[in-house]
Amino acid sequence: MSSRKYVIAALSLASIGANQAIAQSAPSSVAMFGIVDINFRSVKNGDQTIKQVASNGMSPSQFGFRGTEDLGDGLQAGFWLEGAFFPDTGATDPAKFFGRRSTISLAGSFGEVRLGRDQAPGYRNIATFDPFGNVGLGSGLTLVSSLGSGASTLVRTDNAVAYFLPPIMTANCTHAYRECGLYGHISMAAGEGIKGGEYRGGRLGYAVGAVNVAVGMASTKTATTDDFKVKNFGASYDFTQFKLMGLYNESKWGARTHRVLGLGATVPVGQFLLRATMQRADASGVGTDANDARQWAIGSTYSLSKRTSLYGTYGHISNSGAAAFAVGTLPAASLATGKISSGYEFGLRHAF
Amino acid sequence: MSSRKYVIAALSLASIGANQAIAQSAPSSVAMFGIVDINFRSVKNGDQTIKQVASNGMSPSQFGFRGTEDLGDGLQAGFWLEGAFFPDTGATDPAKFFGRRSTISLAGSFGEVRLGRDQAPGYRNIATFDPFGNVGLGSGLTLVSSLGSGASTLVRTDNAVAYFLPPIMTANCTHAYRECGLYGHISMAAGEGIKGGEYRGGRLGYAVGAVNVAVGMASTKTATTDDFKVKNFGASYDFTQFKLMGLYNESKWGARTHRVLGLGATVPVGQFLLRATMQRADASGVGTDANDARQWAIGSTYSLSKRTSLYGTYGHISNSGAAAFAVGTLPAASLATGKISSGYEFGLRHAF
Amino acid sequence: MSSRKYVIAALSLASIGANQAIAQSAPSSVAMFGIVDINFRSVKNGDQTIKQVASNGMSPSQFGFRGTEDLGDGLQAGFWLEGAFFPDTGATDPAKFFGRRSTISLAGSFGEVRLGRDQAPGYRNIATFDPFGNVGLGSGLTLVSSLGSGASTLVRTDNAVAYFLPPIMTANCTHAYRECGLYGHISMAAGEGIKGGEYRGGRLGYAVGAVNVAVGMASTKTATTDDFKVKNFGASYDFTQFKLMGLYNESKWGARTHRVLGLGATVPVGQFLLRATMQRADASGVGTDANDARQWAIGSTYSLSKRTSLYGTYGHISNSGAAAFAVGTLPAASLATGKISSGYEFGLRHAF
């Protein structure tokens, strides 16, 4: 095998032609990126056990393209196209290939204006302050409820117009981009006649030194006169030897309220990162008071490199009343109300 | 963040193996390209107004890969895969991911033979001689009709075999590739038993100096004994300070005829490109004589760079009789016959 | 047109931000690859003739991304995402975009562990020892039957865990990767409650000098108590002037057995590679004894380069009893039982 390169280059196309001249204009840079995550998973729902080769125990498998262009005068344009897929079967979302993110941006000293499909500001805290990052059998998102409101905006919104603050107080910042210094963004999504799609939300946070705290709020129009509302607050503190984090999330729709309180920790030990979480979900209103649930999970990742990790997780949910929260996603076994759902998984995650 | 590159390179794959050896042969060059275009759009159809975050006001959002290979002796092989998507939601065409173009070519001094799915020669003039390039609220394609013939070949054809002339009289040519000097191509598409898919068409043009003129003709088999036929003629002249263009398109199916006459202009003013168009559609035959329509649109693009533009457009269509042509595409509001459809949009377009 | 490159590079993303930090970690290399194959095809099934512009006469059209990462200590991680498409129309598999292969691997001196969707070990011999590589009008796969068992594992399996031997006795090996020296792999696929998906299979081969021999075996759970079983044996010998190959494949499901015996040859003559094959299919059990078929095909490829070829193939199948095997894939014409199916195709194949 030779060592020649498939250099991704713009072609002169002198003979094999282009219909639109636009693709043949100025210099460009495009990054291809993705994650493949496959695991062995065993889940017990009530009395039923199912063993699977599953996806997404540590990170959401994804595939995408993104790029930026320097426009001069401190202005930047950019795009981001990112889709989900399930590497255990090769399946993608048939209708929404770029369903994780599909945006165009204009950024400068004023901040960033971003248009398209993206994560909702009312969601970000739920992921940021979960030691399992809302993925796999320990995901804190499992207990969060849309309360049957029909809102499709809990995690992402179509047709959104968002504004992100520019970097503020980010000197010596060790936090992730967009969660650094004083940070925040607001987003409005057009409903376009689809019930449960019209959205307004915002998030404001402060991450300096060992501290990261943030609040999020959102409201979505539904088919009734009641809006579906989300409020949350998250905080983390990095003690170097370990990191503590907590989240409070409140969903409301009419007389119904659903509260989730989570506490978690991560402990780096060499190439291991131990992770633990405890959560409780508390339903109230319209005869749902008894439908509570508790979740706990422990696990660890083991870094083979910055991009490649092995991992293992054990997750456990006990449901009360008519609650039926289940760990992971099960195509073949359903969970009766008030039962226990638990499972373990170990897998391999590779990012490119 | 480091500055390391994700160089797209062929891998030795010494341990992670390839089943087919073919992908491991000779040097190659592949270009990734695309356009993301999102806008704010407000459309009034009759009495109904709908506001959207929409796609494709200035350019059709797209995503693709193309490449060429030099075979020696003046021969070139090439491929082109290009799909449409809607960046406001991340949606793609579920069944036809590469629905905009999917071709393989062999080119040389004899011209180019191109196989697969591509734009139809009977369509190209409709796009070329429209100041809005057949996109957005000013699109001249809106008034063009397939007359209920069931022909699926108005814009693109599946299963096509096309032949393009080689470059002729292209010295000092400032026109776009494939529309330069004496240019032309013919295309035949196999119907494969699907009614409305079997196609024959051709185009011939001449673009030298300030002038560009072209004629197109096409015929498609339908479920009846009548073929669906298209004839068109376009011309443009660039006066440097401004450019004028005109299009005449005639669709015919049995006793029905539909004629569109368009006049347009573009005016470059610094980074602005002002655009204006007027069109009239004239139906005749089988009681459709009164179903006419008129369209006008004005707008401008503003170049932030060669690849990135802001834009705004206002479009207006007045329908007569049973005509119901509407600006843009509206998922939630339908237009009654004989009513006015109008709207404005402003957006951001980025090509990569 | 300028000569600037669209270098696929990781971006600093200083202003247009990334939500997940994982994609911004260590160096990476990713290869984009694909094949586009379009042809003219004429098939006669019984009395019906259909002419098409079709796909995949010489190679399966495909599109993919793959990459590896060196983890140190002789360890390597890798991923492979590969989807099928039909370039004559631009169509993809709506639900399984990466339906040809979607895997993550960990490899080292111990061999390779590979997880995800991939070719089944019980299938590889059917492709390797067919001069037409299981593609187009001469494909040997056409006569191979799943016997109505409902097994979806004849060619590929979802949810597979496979183990490949490391390189053994591969000195001076001129065979393809993974079929070199003493080679083999086993695979187990989780059924996950879907009938016809739970699979166990293995393959062992020996390819040194002019010889390549291999055996394959596989068993799939079905909706009945009978497993669907495959056994096969293939061998090839390269006499330099020509290469001979043979395949025996046996499918079994309950009382039904289906045997295919194939003999083939390839002859390199300059840039031509002549190809010929003869096959017979022999059904037995439950009144199916008479449902036999014979196939023969001849053709040639002509290399314009290592990546680009012209090709032509003629294929012929005669069916007995209730057998109705047809060459190629025909959307519009079906074949009555016991009839002859034959056809020819010539096309262009380009790999990138």
Side-chain angles (χ1 to χ4, degrees):
Chain A
M1 254 156 286
S2 73
S3 63
R4 73 281 174 273
K5 292 181 178 180
Y6 284 67
V7 174
I8 300 293
L11 304 169
S12 72
L13 293 165
S15 299
I16 310 295
N19 278 322
Q20 65 272 4
I22 189 146
Q24 304 168 21
S25 47
S28 176
S29 65
V30 178
M32 186 193 304
F33 64 93
I35 298 176
V36 184
D37 182 331
I38 302 185
N39 58 42
F40 306 87
R41 181 179 284 182
S42 176
V43 169
K44 191 173 177 196
N45 275 355
D47 298 330
Q48 263 198 297
T49 298
I50 185 164
K51 291 180 190 301
Q52 296 180 301
V53 174
S55 293
N56 307 347
M58 178 176 162
S59 301
S61 292
Q62 59 191 254
F63 185 75
F65 303 88
R66 61 177 184 239
T68 58
E69 183 196 17
D70 193 339
L71 299 169
D73 297 327
L75 265 185
Q76 244 192 336
F79 75 97
W80 191 299
L81 305 176
E82 178 182 316
F85 78 106
F86 295 91
D88 52 342
T89 64
T92 48
D93 184 338
K96 231 168 232 214
F97 192 77
F98 297 118
R100 287 181 52 86
R101 181 167 165 189
S102 169
T103 61
I104 184 170
S105 292
L106 207 54
S109 56
F110 59 86
E112 176 187 343
V113 174
R114 191 188 292 180
L115 312 178
R117 176 172 174 82
D118 198 5
Q119 288 190 349
Y123 166 71
R124 284 299 308 152
N125 287 338
I126 302 175
T128 299
F129 300 103
D130 175 4
F132 289 90
N134 279 1
V135 181
L137 297 183
S139 167
L141 183 62
T142 307
L143 292 195
V144 176
S145 172
S146 287
L147 291 167
S149 65
S152 61
T153 56
L154 190 61
V155 177
R156 290 181 175 83
T157 53
D158 282 341
N159 303 305
V161 181
Y163 165 74
F164 289 77
L165 289 176
I168 302 173
M169 298 187 284
T170 54
N172 303 318
C173 189
T174 58
H175 293 267
Y177 176 72
R178 285 283 172 230
E179 291 188 353
C180 192
L182 182 71
Y183 60 90
H185 74 294
I186 54 170
S187 175
M188 291 192 296
E192 305 191 358
I194 299 166
K195 297 299 177 192
E198 191 176 337
Y199 177 92
R200 289 167 190 221
R203 187 190 186 210
L204 192 67
Y206 177 79
V208 171
V211 169
N212 187 7
V213 292
V215 293
M217 295 187 71
S219 178
T220 305
K221 300 270 179 212
T222 67
T224 73
T225 54
D226 293 318
D227 293 350
F228 172 70
K229 293 184 175 178
V230 171
K231 263 189 249 179
N232 50 45
F233 172 77
S236 68
Y237 195 91
D238 193 340
F239 294 90
T240 313
Q241 277 90 348
F242 60 99
K243 186 175 176 182
L244 284 185
M245 58 190 73
L247 172 77
Y248 172 76
N249 184 80
E250 185 182 298
S251 305
K252 264 199 180 179
W253 187 52
R256 292 186 186 178
T257 305
H258 195 262
R259 296 179 180 89
V260 172
L261 185 66
L263 285 170
T266 60
V267 187
V269 182
Q271 289 166 268
F272 290 94
L273 182 71
L274 311 179
R275 310 193 286 179
T277 189
M278 284 189 307
Q279 292 206 114
R280 54 183 300 164
D282 179 17
S284 60
V286 220
T288 67
D289 286 21
N291 305 340
D292 299 341
R294 287 171 188 237
Q295 177 180 24
W296 63 271
I298 54 166
S300 182
T301 65
Y302 178 83
S303 295
L304 296 168
S305 76
K306 279 194 183 175
R307 293 165 49 210
T308 305
S309 292
L310 299 167
Y311 64 88
T313 304
Y314 177 82
H316 185 283
I317 296 176
S318 46
N319 291 286
S320 307
F325 296 100
V327 298
T329 321
L330 277 188
S334 60
L335 179 63
T337 58
K339 297 291 185 188
I340 286 174
S341 172
S342 66
Y344 58 88
E345 65 190 352
F346 46 99
L348 176 61
R349 194 283 318 267
H350 176 68
F352 57 94
Chain B
M1 255 156 283
S2 73
S3 63
R4 74 281 175 271
K5 291 181 177 180
Y6 284 68
V7 175
I8 300 292
L11 305 168
S12 73
L13 293 164
S15 299
I16 309 296
N19 278 322
Q20 66 272 2
I22 189 144
Q24 305 169 20
S25 47
S28 176
S29 64
V30 178
M32 186 194 303
F33 63 93
I35 298 175
V36 183
D37 181 331
I38 303 186
N39 59 41
F40 305 87
R41 182 179 283 182
S42 176
V43 169
K44 190 173 178 196
N45 275 355
D47 298 330
Q48 264 197 295
T49 299
I50 183 165
K51 291 180 188 303
Q52 295 179 302
V53 173
S55 293
N56 307 347
M58 177 177 165
S59 301
S61 292
Q62 61 193 249
F63 185 76
F65 303 87
R66 62 179 183 238
T68 59
E69 183 196 16
D70 193 340
L71 299 171
D73 297 327
L75 266 185
Q76 242 190 338
F79 76 97
W80 191 299
L81 305 176
E82 178 182 317
F85 78 105
F86 295 91
D88 52 343
T89 63
T92 48
D93 184 338
K96 230 168 233 216
F97 192 77
F98 297 119
R100 288 181 53 85
R101 181 168 165 188
S102 168
T103 61
I104 183 170
S105 291
L106 206 55
S109 56
F110 59 86
E112 176 187 342
V113 174
R114 191 188 291 180
L115 312 178
R117 177 173 175 80
D118 199 5
Q119 288 190 349
Y123 166 71
R124 284 299 309 150
N125 287 337
I126 302 175
T128 299
F129 300 103
D130 175 4
F132 289 92
N134 279 1
V135 181
L137 297 183
S139 167
L141 183 63
T142 307
L143 292 196
V144 177
S145 172
S146 287
L147 291 167
S149 66
S152 61
T153 56
L154 191 62
V155 177
R156 289 182 176 84
T157 53
D158 282 341
N159 304 305
V161 181
Y163 165 73
F164 289 77
L165 289 176
I168 301 174
M169 298 188 284
T170 54
N172 302 319
C173 190
T174 58
H175 293 267
Y177 176 72
R178 285 283 172 229
E179 290 189 354
C180 191
L182 181 70
Y183 60 90
H185 75 294
I186 54 170
S187 176
M188 291 192 297
E192 305 192 358
I194 299 165
K195 298 298 178 193
E198 190 177 337
Y199 177 92
R200 287 166 191 221
R203 186 189 187 211
L204 192 67
Y206 177 80
V208 171
V211 169
N212 188 6
V213 292
V215 293
M217 295 187 72
S219 178
T220 305
K221 300 271 180 213
T222 68
T224 73
T225 56
D226 294 317
D227 292 350
F228 172 69
K229 293 183 175 179
V230 171
K231 265 189 250 180
N232 50 45
F233 171 78
S236 67
Y237 195 92
D238 192 339
F239 294 91
T240 312
Q241 277 88 352
F242 61 100
K243 186 176 175 182
L244 284 185
M245 58 189 76
L247 172 78
Y248 172 76
N249 184 81
E250 186 182 297
S251 306
K252 264 199 178 177
W253 188 52
R256 293 186 185 178
T257 305
H258 196 260
R259 297 181 180 86
V260 172
L261 185 67
L263 285 170
T266 59
V267 187
V269 183
Q271 290 166 267
F272 289 93
L273 182 73
L274 310 179
R275 310 191 288 178
T277 188
M278 285 190 307
Q279 292 207 113
R280 54 183 299 163
D282 179 18
S284 60
V286 221
T288 67
D289 287 21
N291 306 339
D292 299 340
R294 287 171 187 238
Q295 176 181 23
W296 62 271
I298 54 167
S300 182
T301 66
Y302 179 82
S303 295
L304 296 168
S305 76
K306 280 194 183 174
R307 294 165 48 209
T308 304
S309 292
L310 299 167
Y311 64 88
T313 304
Y314 177 83
H316 184 281
I317 296 176
S318 46
N319 291 286
S320 308
F325 296 100
V327 298
T329 321
L330 276 189
S334 61
L335 178 63
T337 59
K339 298 291 186 188
I340 286 173
S341 172
S342 66
Y344 59 86
E345 64 190 352
F346 48 97
L348 176 61
R349 194 283 319 264
H350 176 68
F352 58 94
Chain C
M1 257 156 284
S2 72
S3 64
R4 75 278 175 273
K5 292 182 178 180
Y6 285 67
V7 174
I8 300 292
L11 304 168
S12 73
L13 294 163
S15 299
I16 310 295
N19 278 322
Q20 65 272 5
I22 189 145
Q24 304 169 21
S25 45
S28 177
S29 64
V30 178
M32 187 193 303
F33 64 93
I35 297 176
V36 184
D37 181 330
I38 302 186
N39 59 42
F40 306 88
R41 182 179 285 182
S42 176
V43 169
K44 190 172 177 198
N45 276 354
D47 298 331
Q48 265 198 295
T49 298
I50 184 164
K51 291 181 189 303
Q52 297 179 300
V53 173
S55 294
N56 307 347
M58 178 177 163
S59 301
S61 293
Q62 59 192 251
F63 184 77
F65 302 88
R66 61 178 184 241
T68 58
E69 182 196 17
D70 193 340
L71 299 170
D73 298 327
L75 265 185
Q76 243 191 336
F79 76 98
W80 191 299
L81 305 176
E82 178 182 317
F85 78 107
F86 296 91
D88 53 341
T89 63
T92 48
D93 184 338
K96 230 169 233 213
F97 192 76
F98 296 119
R100 288 181 51 86
R101 181 168 164 188
S102 169
T103 61
I104 184 171
S105 291
L106 206 55
S109 57
F110 59 86
E112 176 187 342
V113 174
R114 191 189 290 179
L115 312 178
R117 177 173 174 82
D118 198 4
Q119 288 190 349
Y123 166 71
R124 286 297 310 151
N125 287 338
I126 302 174
T128 299
F129 300 103
D130 175 5
F132 289 91
N134 279 1
V135 181
L137 297 183
S139 166
L141 184 62
T142 306
L143 292 195
V144 177
S145 173
S146 287
L147 291 167
S149 65
S152 61
T153 57
L154 191 61
V155 178
R156 289 181 175 85
T157 52
D158 283 342
N159 303 306
V161 181
Y163 165 74
F164 289 77
L165 289 176
I168 302 173
M169 297 187 284
T170 55
N172 303 318
C173 190
T174 59
H175 294 267
Y177 177 71
R178 284 284 171 229
E179 290 189 354
C180 192
L182 181 71
Y183 60 90
H185 75 293
I186 53 169
S187 175
M188 291 192 297
E192 305 191 0
I194 299 166
K195 296 301 176 190
E198 190 176 337
Y199 177 92
R200 288 169 191 219
R203 186 189 187 210
L204 191 67
Y206 177 80
V208 171
V211 170
N212 188 6
V213 291
V215 292
M217 295 186 73
S219 178
T220 305
K221 300 271 180 213
T222 68
T224 73
T225 55
D226 294 318
D227 293 350
F228 172 70
K229 292 184 176 180
V230 171
K231 265 188 252 180
N232 50 44
F233 171 78
S236 68
Y237 195 92
D238 193 340
F239 293 90
T240 312
Q241 276 89 350
F242 61 99
K243 187 176 175 181
L244 285 185
M245 58 189 74
L247 173 77
Y248 172 76
N249 184 80
E250 186 182 297
S251 306
K252 265 199 177 177
W253 187 52
R256 294 185 186 179
T257 305
H258 196 260
R259 297 181 180 87
V260 173
L261 185 66
L263 285 171
T266 60
V267 187
V269 182
Q271 290 167 268
F272 290 94
L273 183 72
L274 310 179
R275 310 192 289 178
T277 188
M278 285 189 308
Q279 292 207 115
R280 54 183 299 163
D282 180 17
S284 60
V286 221
T288 67
D289 286 20
N291 306 339
D292 299 340
R294 287 173 187 236
Q295 177 180 23
W296 62 271
I298 54 168
S300 183
T301 65
Y302 179 82
S303 295
L304 296 167
S305 75
K306 280 195 182 174
R307 294 165 48 209
T308 306
S309 293
L310 299 167
Y311 65 88
T313 303
Y314 177 83
H316 185 281
I317 296 175
S318 46
N319 292 286
S320 306
F325 296 100
V327 298
T329 320
L330 277 187
S334 61
L335 178 63
T337 58
K339 298 290 186 189
I340 285 174
S341 171
S342 67
Y344 58 87
E345 64 191 350
F346 46 99
L348 176 61
R349 194 282 319 263
H350 176 69
F352 58 94

